[in-house]
Amino acid sequence: MSAFASPEDLPAPAGYSHVVTISPGPLVWTSGQIAVAPDGSVPEGWEAQTRLVFAHLGRALQAGGATWRDVVKLTFWLVDLAGLPAVRAVRDEHIDATAPPTSSLVQVAGLVRPELLLEVEAVAAPR
């Protein structure tokens, strides 16, 4: 079982929880997922890349026996914070907005391929 919280004496979070407490049980960790399709192509634009990344994450979570509802932590690496509104919009289509996971966001100079805009990894605690 997981408990999600955002204490009132911390700044109000924008779509994430400040803390998640997890009872003993399995954890599922994904590798960072990028927007490379099985054929090696990379879609253009923030929304298209984010949708592909979240599709990859969903399949990885499923392979580990977890769902989006089980996600307790997301880590984002973005090459430009201008893409954050699109990333958040797609994220919000997948997570449980009533108990959003904890989150970290890092702006980076680049990723493994120059056309990539973001990388995301997840940690889940299947319920």
Side-chain angles (χ1 to χ4, degrees):
M1 178 184 290
S2 303
F4 296 78
S6 290
E8 291 182 14
D9 57 346
L10 289 174
Y16 63 91
S17 296
H18 279 293
V19 64
V20 177
T21 304
I22 302 167
S23 298
L27 288 177
V28 175
W29 297 76
T30 71
S31 292
Q33 297 297 309
I34 54 177
V36 176
D39 66 2
S41 65
V42 175
E44 290 187 30
W46 282 100
E47 183 178 351
Q49 285 199 22
T50 305
R51 288 194 181 285
L52 183 54
V53 165
F54 272 73
H56 291 335
L57 279 170
R59 285 192 289 283
L61 289 166
Q62 184 178 23
T67 69
W68 279 107
R69 181 172 152 70
D70 302 319
V71 172
V72 296
K73 171 72 173 176
L74 289 170
T75 304
F76 296 85
W77 293 270
L78 278 63
V79 299
D80 185 346
L81 296 183
L84 192 54
V87 171
R88 284 181 172 162
V90 173
R91 174 205 62 195
D92 290 351
E93 294 173 10
H94 292 83
I95 64 167
D96 179 356
T98 64
T102 60
S103 182
S104 295
L105 170 65
V106 181
Q107 183 175 2
V108 295
L111 295 166
V112 68
R113 287 175 53 173
E115 68 270 35
L116 292 171
L117 301 173
L118 74 157
E119 183 169 338
V120 184
E121 69 181 23
V123 177
R127 301 172 193 198

